[in-house]
Coordinates of all heavy atoms in Angstrom, one line a residue:
D83 N 13.7 -1.9 5.6 CA 14.2 -2.9 6.5 C 13.2 -4.1 6.5 O 13.6 -5.2 7.1 CB 14.3 -2.4 7.9 CG 15.4 -1.3 8.1 OD1 16.3 -1.3 7.2 OD2 15.4 -0.6 9.1
S84 N 12.1 -4.0 6.0 CA 11.1 -5.1 6.1 C 11.4 -6.3 5.1 O 11.7 -6.0 4.0 CB 9.7 -4.6 5.7 OG 9.3 -3.6 6.7
D85 N 11.2 -7.5 5.6 CA 11.2 -8.6 4.7 C 9.9 -8.8 3.9 O 9.9 -9.2 2.8 CB 11.5 -9.9 5.5 CG 12.8 -9.9 6.2 OD1 13.8 -9.5 5.5 OD2 12.9 -10.2 7.4
L86 N 8.8 -8.4 4.5 CA 7.5 -8.4 3.9 C 6.7 -7.2 4.4 O 6.9 -6.8 5.6 CB 6.7 -9.6 4.3 CG 7.1 -11.0 3.8 CD1 6.2 -12.0 4.5 CD2 6.9 -11.1 2.3
V87 N 5.8 -6.6 3.6 CA 4.9 -5.6 4.0 C 3.5 -6.3 4.0 O 3.1 -6.8 2.9 CB 4.9 -4.4 3.2 CG1 3.7 -3.4 3.6 CG2 6.2 -3.7 3.3
V88 N 2.8 -6.4 5.1 CA 1.5 -7.1 5.2 C 0.5 -6.1 5.5 O 0.5 -5.3 6.4 CB 1.6 -8.2 6.3 CG1 0.2 -8.9 6.4 CG2 2.7 -9.2 6.1
I89 N -0.5 -6.0 4.6 CA -1.6 -5.1 4.7 C -2.9 -5.9 4.9 O -3.5 -6.5 4.0 CB -1.7 -4.2 3.5 CG1 -0.4 -3.6 3.1 CG2 -2.8 -3.1 3.6 CD1 -0.3 -3.0 1.8
T90 N -3.4 -5.9 6.2 CA -4.6 -6.7 6.5 C -5.8 -5.7 6.7 O -5.6 -4.7 7.4 CB -4.4 -7.5 7.7 OG1 -3.9 -6.7 8.8 CG2 -3.5 -8.7 7.4
M91 N -6.9 -5.9 6.0 CA -8.0 -5.0 6.1 C -9.3 -5.7 6.3 O -9.4 -6.9 6.0 CB -8.1 -4.2 4.8 CG -6.8 -3.4 4.5 SD -6.8 -2.7 2.8 CE -6.7 -4.1 1.8
F92 N -10.3 -5.0 6.8 CA -11.7 -5.4 6.9 C -12.3 -5.2 5.5 O -11.7 -4.4 4.7 CB -12.4 -4.6 7.9 CG -11.9 -4.8 9.3 CD1 -11.4 -3.8 10.0 CD2 -12.0 -6.1 10.0 CE1 -10.9 -3.9 11.3 CE2 -11.5 -6.2 11.2 CZ -11.0 -5.1 11.9
E93 N -13.4 -5.8 5.3 CA -14.1 -5.6 4.0 C -14.4 -4.1 3.9 O -14.8 -3.4 4.9 CB -15.4 -6.4 4.0 CG -16.1 -6.4 2.7 CD -17.2 -7.4 2.6 OE1 -17.3 -8.3 3.5 OE2 -18.0 -7.3 1.7
N94 N -14.3 -3.6 2.7 CA -14.6 -2.2 2.5 C -15.0 -2.0 1.0 O -14.8 -2.9 0.2 CB -13.3 -1.3 2.8 CG -12.2 -1.6 1.9 OD1 -12.1 -1.1 0.8 ND2 -11.2 -2.5 2.4
N95 N -15.6 -0.9 0.7 CA -16.2 -0.6 -0.6 C -15.3 0.4 -1.3 O -15.8 1.0 -2.3 CB -17.6 -0.2 -0.6 CG -17.9 1.0 0.3 OD1 -16.9 1.6 0.8 ND2 -19.1 1.4 0.4
Y96 N -14.1 0.6 -0.9 CA -13.2 1.5 -1.6 C -11.8 0.9 -1.5 O -11.6 -0.2 -0.9 CB -13.2 2.9 -1.1 CG -12.8 3.0 0.4 CD1 -11.5 3.3 0.7 CD2 -13.7 2.9 1.4 CE1 -11.1 3.4 2.1 CE2 -13.3 3.0 2.8 CZ -12.0 3.2 3.1 OH -11.6 3.3 4.4
Q97 N -10.9 1.4 -2.2 CA -9.5 0.8 -2.2 C -8.7 1.1 -1.0 O -7.6 1.8 -1.2 CB -8.9 1.2 -3.6 CG -9.5 0.6 -4.8 CD -9.4 -0.9 -4.9 OE1 -8.3 -1.4 -5.2 NE2 -10.4 -1.6 -4.6
A98 N -9.1 0.7 0.1 CA -8.3 0.9 1.3 C -6.9 0.2 1.2 O -6.8 -0.8 0.5 CB -9.0 0.4 2.6
G99 N -5.9 0.8 1.7 CA -4.6 0.1 1.7 C -3.7 0.5 0.4 O -2.6 0.1 0.4
L100 N -4.3 1.2 -0.5 CA -3.5 1.5 -1.7 C -2.2 2.3 -1.5 O -1.2 2.0 -2.0 CB -4.3 2.3 -2.7 CG -5.3 1.5 -3.5 CD1 -6.1 2.4 -4.5 CD2 -4.7 0.3 -4.2
T101 N -2.3 3.3 -0.6 CA -1.1 4.2 -0.3 C 0.0 3.3 0.2 O 1.2 3.4 -0.2 CB -1.4 5.3 0.6 OG1 -2.5 6.1 0.0 CG2 -0.2 6.2 0.9
T102 N -0.3 2.5 1.2 CA 0.7 1.6 1.8 C 1.3 0.7 0.8 O 2.5 0.4 0.7 CB 0.1 0.8 3.0 OG1 -0.4 1.8 4.0 CG2 1.1 -0.1 3.7
M103 N 0.4 0.1 0.0 CA 0.8 -0.8 -1.1 C 1.8 -0.2 -2.0 O 2.8 -0.7 -2.3 CB -0.4 -1.4 -1.8 CG 0.0 -2.5 -2.9 SD -1.4 -3.0 -3.8 CE -1.8 -1.6 -4.8
F104 N 1.4 1.0 -2.5 CA 2.3 1.7 -3.5 C 3.6 2.1 -2.8 O 4.7 2.1 -3.5 CB 1.6 2.8 -4.2 CG 0.6 2.4 -5.3 CD1 -0.7 2.7 -5.2 CD2 1.1 1.7 -6.4 CE1 -1.6 2.3 -6.2 CE2 0.2 1.3 -7.4 CZ -1.1 1.6 -7.3
E105 N 3.6 2.6 -1.6 CA 4.8 2.9 -0.9 C 5.7 1.7 -0.8 O 6.9 1.8 -1.0 CB 4.5 3.5 0.5 CG 3.9 4.9 0.4 CD 3.3 5.4 1.8 OE1 3.3 4.6 2.7 OE2 3.0 6.6 1.9
A106 N 5.2 0.6 -0.4 CA 6.0 -0.6 -0.3 C 6.5 -1.0 -1.7 O 7.7 -1.5 -1.7 CB 5.1 -1.7 0.3
M107 N 5.7 -0.9 -2.7 CA 6.2 -1.3 -4.0 C 7.4 -0.3 -4.4 O 8.4 -0.8 -5.0 CB 5.1 -1.2 -5.1 CG 4.1 -2.3 -4.9 SD 2.5 -2.1 -5.8 CE 3.1 -2.2 -7.5
A108 N 7.2 1.0 -4.1 CA 8.2 2.0 -4.5 C 9.5 1.7 -3.7 O 10.6 2.0 -4.2 CB 7.7 3.4 -4.2
C109 N 9.4 1.0 -2.5 CA 10.6 0.7 -1.7 C 11.1 -0.7 -2.1 O 11.9 -1.3 -1.4 CB 10.3 0.8 -0.2 SG 10.2 2.5 0.3
R110 N 10.5 -1.3 -3.1 CA 10.9 -2.7 -3.6 C 10.7 -3.7 -2.5 O 11.6 -4.6 -2.3 CB 12.3 -2.6 -4.1 CG 12.6 -3.7 -5.1 CD 14.0 -3.7 -5.7 NE 14.1 -2.6 -6.6 CZ 15.2 -2.0 -7.0 NH1 16.3 -2.5 -6.6 NH2 15.2 -1.0 -7.8
R111 N 9.6 -3.7 -1.9 CA 9.3 -4.7 -0.8 C 8.2 -5.7 -1.3 O 7.2 -5.2 -2.0 CB 8.8 -4.1 0.5 CG 9.7 -3.1 1.1 CD 11.2 -3.5 1.4 NE 11.6 -4.8 1.4 CZ 12.7 -5.3 0.9 NH1 13.6 -4.5 0.2 NH2 13.1 -6.5 0.9
P112 N 8.3 -7.0 -1.0 CA 7.2 -7.9 -1.3 C 6.0 -7.6 -0.4 O 6.1 -7.2 0.7 CB 7.8 -9.3 -1.1 CG 8.9 -9.0 -0.1 CD 9.4 -7.6 -0.4
I113 N 4.8 -7.8 -1.0 CA 3.5 -7.4 -0.3 C 2.6 -8.6 -0.2 O 2.3 -9.3 -1.1 CB 2.9 -6.3 -1.0 CG1 3.8 -5.1 -1.1 CG2 1.5 -5.9 -0.4 CD1 3.5 -4.1 -2.2
V114 N 2.0 -8.7 1.0 CA 0.8 -9.6 1.3 C -0.3 -8.6 1.6 O -0.2 -7.8 2.5 CB 1.1 -10.5 2.4 CG1 -0.2 -11.4 2.7 CG2 2.3 -11.4 2.1
I115 N -1.5 -8.8 0.9 CA -2.6 -7.9 1.1 C -3.9 -8.6 1.1 O -4.0 -9.6 0.4 CB -2.6 -6.7 0.1 CG1 -3.5 -5.6 0.4 CG2 -2.8 -7.3 -1.3 CD1 -3.3 -4.3 -0.4
T116 N -4.9 -8.1 1.9 CA -6.2 -8.7 1.9 C -6.8 -8.5 0.5 O -6.8 -7.5 -0.1 CB -7.1 -8.0 3.0 OG1 -6.4 -8.2 4.2 CG2 -8.5 -8.6 3.0
R117 N -7.4 -9.6 0.1 CA -8.1 -9.6 -1.3 C -9.2 -8.5 -1.3 O -9.9 -8.3 -0.3 CB -8.8 -10.9 -1.6 CG -7.8 -12.0 -1.8 CD -8.5 -13.3 -2.2 NE -7.7 -14.5 -2.0 CZ -6.6 -14.8 -2.7 NH1 -6.2 -14.0 -3.7 NH2 -5.8 -15.8 -2.4
S118 N -9.3 -7.9 -2.5 CA -10.3 -6.9 -2.7 C -10.4 -6.7 -4.2 O -9.6 -7.2 -5.0 CB -9.9 -5.6 -2.0 OG -10.0 -4.5 -2.7
S119 N -11.5 -6.1 -4.6 CA -11.7 -5.9 -6.1 C -10.9 -4.7 -6.5 O -10.2 -4.1 -5.7 CB -13.2 -5.7 -6.4 OG -13.6 -4.5 -5.7
G120 N -10.9 -4.4 -7.8 CA -10.2 -3.3 -8.3 C -8.8 -3.6 -8.6 O -8.4 -4.7 -8.8
I121 N -7.9 -2.5 -8.4 CA -6.5 -2.7 -8.7 C -5.8 -3.7 -7.8 O -4.9 -4.4 -8.2 CB -5.8 -1.3 -8.7 CG1 -4.4 -1.4 -9.3 CG2 -5.7 -0.8 -7.3 CD1 -3.8 -0.1 -9.6
I122 N -6.3 -3.8 -6.5 CA -5.6 -4.8 -5.6 C -5.9 -6.2 -6.2 O -4.9 -7.0 -6.3 CB -6.2 -4.6 -4.2 CG1 -5.7 -3.3 -3.6 CG2 -5.8 -5.8 -3.3 CD1 -6.3 -3.0 -2.3
G123 N -7.1 -6.5 -6.6 CA -7.4 -7.8 -7.2 C -6.6 -8.1 -8.5 O -6.1 -9.2 -8.7
E124 N -6.4 -7.0 -9.3 CA -5.6 -7.2 -10.5 C -4.2 -7.5 -10.2 O -3.6 -8.3 -10.9 CB -5.8 -5.9 -11.4 CG -7.2 -5.7 -11.9 CD -7.3 -4.3 -12.6 OE1 -6.3 -3.7 -12.9 OE2 -8.5 -3.9 -12.8
L125 N -3.6 -6.8 -9.2 CA -2.2 -7.0 -8.9 C -2.0 -8.4 -8.2 O -1.0 -9.0 -8.4 CB -1.7 -5.9 -7.9 CG -1.6 -4.5 -8.6 CD1 -1.2 -3.5 -7.5 CD2 -0.6 -4.5 -9.7
I126 N -3.0 -8.8 -7.5 CA -3.0 -10.2 -6.9 C -3.0 -11.2 -8.1 O -2.2 -12.1 -8.1 CB -4.1 -10.5 -5.9 CG1 -3.9 -9.6 -4.7 CG2 -4.2 -12.0 -5.6 CD1 -5.1 -9.6 -3.7
N127 N -3.9 -11.0 -9.0 CA -4.1 -12.0 -10.1 C -2.8 -12.0 -11.0 O -2.5 -13.0 -11.6 CB -5.3 -11.6 -11.0 CG -6.6 -11.9 -10.2 OD1 -6.6 -12.7 -9.3 ND2 -7.6 -11.3 -10.6
S128 N -2.1 -10.9 -11.1 CA -0.9 -10.8 -11.9 C 0.4 -11.3 -11.2 O 1.4 -11.5 -11.7 CB -0.6 -9.4 -12.4 OG -0.3 -8.6 -11.3
G129 N 0.2 -11.6 -9.9 CA 1.3 -12.1 -9.1 C 2.3 -11.0 -8.6 O 3.4 -11.4 -8.0
I130 N 1.9 -9.8 -8.7 CA 2.8 -8.7 -8.2 C 2.7 -8.5 -6.7 O 3.7 -8.2 -6.1 CB 2.5 -7.4 -9.0 CG1 2.9 -7.6 -10.5 CG2 3.2 -6.2 -8.4 CD1 2.5 -6.4 -11.4
V131 N 1.5 -8.8 -6.2 CA 1.3 -8.9 -4.7 C 0.7 -10.2 -4.4 O 0.1 -10.8 -5.3 CB 0.5 -7.7 -4.2 CG1 1.2 -6.4 -4.5 CG2 -0.9 -7.7 -4.7
T132 N 0.7 -10.6 -3.2 CA 0.1 -11.9 -2.7 C -1.1 -11.6 -2.0 O -1.1 -10.8 -1.0 CB 1.1 -12.7 -1.9 OG1 2.3 -13.0 -2.6 CG2 0.5 -14.0 -1.5
G133 N -2.2 -12.2 -2.3 CA -3.5 -12.0 -1.7 C -3.9 -13.0 -0.7 O -3.5 -14.2 -0.8
V134 N -4.6 -12.6 0.4 CA -5.1 -13.5 1.4 C -6.6 -13.1 1.6 O -7.0 -12.0 1.4 CB -4.3 -13.5 2.7 CG1 -2.9 -14.0 2.5 CG2 -4.3 -12.1 3.3
N135 N -7.4 -14.0 2.1 CA -8.8 -13.8 2.4 C -9.0 -13.0 3.6 O -8.2 -13.1 4.6 CB -9.6 -15.1 2.5 CG -9.6 -15.8 1.1 OD1 -9.9 -15.2 0.1 ND2 -9.4 -17.1 1.1
I136 N -10.0 -12.2 3.7 CA -10.4 -11.3 4.8 C -10.5 -12.2 6.1 O -11.2 -13.1 6.1 CB -11.7 -10.5 4.5 CG1 -11.5 -9.6 3.4 CG2 -12.1 -9.8 5.8 CD1 -12.8 -8.9 2.9
G137 N -9.8 -11.7 7.1 CA -9.9 -12.3 8.4 C -9.4 -13.8 8.6 O -9.6 -14.4 9.7
D138 N -8.7 -14.3 7.6 CA -8.2 -15.7 7.7 C -6.8 -15.7 8.2 O -5.8 -15.6 7.5 CB -8.3 -16.3 6.3 CG -8.1 -17.8 6.3 OD1 -7.4 -18.3 7.3 OD2 -8.5 -18.5 5.4
S139 N -6.6 -15.8 9.5 CA -5.3 -15.7 10.2 C -4.5 -16.9 9.8 O -3.2 -16.8 9.7 CB -5.4 -15.5 11.7 OG -6.1 -16.6 12.3
N140 N -5.1 -18.1 9.6 CA -4.3 -19.3 9.3 C -3.7 -19.2 7.9 O -2.6 -19.5 7.7 CB -5.2 -20.6 9.4 CG -5.5 -20.9 10.8 OD1 -4.7 -20.7 11.7 ND2 -6.7 -21.4 11.0
E141 N -4.5 -18.7 6.9 CA -4.0 -18.5 5.6 C -2.9 -17.4 5.6 O -1.9 -17.6 4.9 CB -5.1 -18.1 4.6 CG -4.6 -17.8 3.2 CD -5.7 -17.2 2.3 OE1 -6.6 -16.6 2.8 OE2 -5.5 -17.3 1.1
L142 N -3.1 -16.4 6.3 CA -2.1 -15.3 6.4 C -0.8 -15.8 7.0 O 0.3 -15.6 6.5 CB -2.7 -14.1 7.3 CG -1.7 -13.0 7.4 CD1 -1.3 -12.3 6.1 CD2 -2.3 -11.9 8.4
K143 N -0.9 -16.6 8.1 CA 0.3 -17.2 8.7 C 1.0 -18.1 7.7 O 2.3 -17.9 7.5 CB -0.1 -18.0 9.9 CG 1.1 -18.6 10.6 CD 0.7 -19.3 11.8 CE 1.9 -19.9 12.6 NZ 1.5 -20.5 13.9
Q144 N 0.3 -19.0 7.0 CA 0.9 -19.9 6.0 C 1.6 -19.1 4.9 O 2.7 -19.4 4.4 CB -0.1 -20.8 5.5 CG -0.6 -21.8 6.5 CD -1.8 -22.7 5.9 OE1 -2.2 -22.5 4.8 NE2 -2.3 -23.5 6.8
T145 N 0.9 -18.0 4.5 CA 1.5 -17.2 3.4 C 2.7 -16.5 3.8 O 3.7 -16.4 3.1 CB 0.4 -16.1 2.9 OG1 -0.7 -16.9 2.4 CG2 0.9 -15.2 1.8
I146 N 2.7 -15.9 5.0 CA 3.9 -15.2 5.5 C 5.1 -16.2 5.6 O 6.2 -15.9 5.2 CB 3.6 -14.5 6.9 CG1 2.7 -13.3 6.7 CG2 4.9 -14.1 7.6 CD1 2.1 -12.8 8.0
V147 N 4.9 -17.3 6.2 CA 5.9 -18.3 6.4 C 6.5 -18.8 5.0 O 7.7 -18.8 4.8 CB 5.4 -19.5 7.2 CG1 6.4 -20.7 7.2 CG2 5.1 -19.1 8.7
K148 N 5.6 -19.0 4.1 CA 6.0 -19.5 2.8 C 6.8 -18.4 2.1 O 7.9 -18.7 1.5 CB 4.7 -19.8 1.9 CG 5.1 -20.2 0.5 CD 3.8 -20.5 -0.3 CE 4.2 -20.9 -1.7 NZ 3.1 -21.1 -2.6
L149 N 6.4 -17.2 2.1 CA 7.2 -16.1 1.5 C 8.5 -15.8 2.2 O 9.5 -15.6 1.5 CB 6.3 -14.8 1.4 CG 5.1 -14.9 0.4 CD1 4.3 -13.6 0.5 CD2 5.6 -15.2 -1.0
L150 N 8.5 -15.9 3.5 CA 9.8 -15.7 4.2 C 10.8 -16.8 3.9 O 12.0 -16.6 3.9 CB 9.6 -15.6 5.7 CG 8.9 -14.4 6.2 CD1 8.6 -14.5 7.7 CD2 9.7 -13.1 5.9
N151 N 10.3 -18.0 3.5 CA 11.1 -19.2 3.2 C 11.5 -19.2 1.7 O 12.2 -20.1 1.3 CB 10.5 -20.5 3.6 CG 10.5 -20.6 5.1 OD1 11.4 -20.2 5.8 ND2 9.4 -21.2 5.7
E152 N 10.9 -18.3 0.9 CA 11.2 -18.3 -0.5 C 11.8 -16.9 -0.9 O 11.1 -16.1 -1.7 CB 10.0 -18.6 -1.3 CG 9.5 -20.0 -1.1 CD 8.2 -20.3 -1.8 OE1 7.5 -19.3 -2.4 OE2 7.8 -21.4 -1.9
P153 N 12.9 -16.5 -0.4 CA 13.4 -15.1 -0.7 C 13.6 -14.8 -2.2 O 13.5 -13.7 -2.6 CB 14.8 -15.1 0.1 CG 15.1 -16.5 0.3 CD 13.9 -17.3 0.4
Q154 N 14.0 -15.8 -3.0 CA 14.1 -15.6 -4.4 C 12.8 -15.2 -5.1 O 12.7 -14.3 -5.9 CB 14.7 -16.8 -5.1 CG 16.2 -17.0 -4.7 CD 16.7 -18.3 -5.3 OE1 16.0 -19.3 -5.5 NE2 18.0 -18.3 -5.6

Side-chain angles (χ1 to χ4, degrees):
D83 293 342
S84 297
D85 294 316
L86 290 173
V87 173
V88 180
I89 308 164
T90 50
M91 298 172 292
F92 296 114
E93 189 169 346
N94 63 83
N95 59 2
Y96 62 94
Q97 293 290 288
L100 282 183
T101 300
T102 303
M103 183 184 72
F104 282 119
E105 288 170 349
M107 289 167 69
C109 290
R110 203 178 288 160
R111 303 306 343 136
I113 300 162
V114 177
I115 192 167
T116 301
R117 292 185 199 290
S118 136
S119 61
I121 192 166
I122 291 172
E124 292 172 17
L125 293 174
I126 291 169
N127 292 338
S128 70
I130 292 175
V131 301
T132 302
V134 294
N135 292 316
I136 294 172
D138 190 336
S139 61
N140 289 325
E141 179 189 21
L142 179 59
K143 180 178 183 174
Q144 291 172 4
T145 300
I146 290 169
V147 169
K148 180 180 178 187
L149 291 175
L150 289 175
N151 288 327
E152 296 178 350
Q154 291 173 327

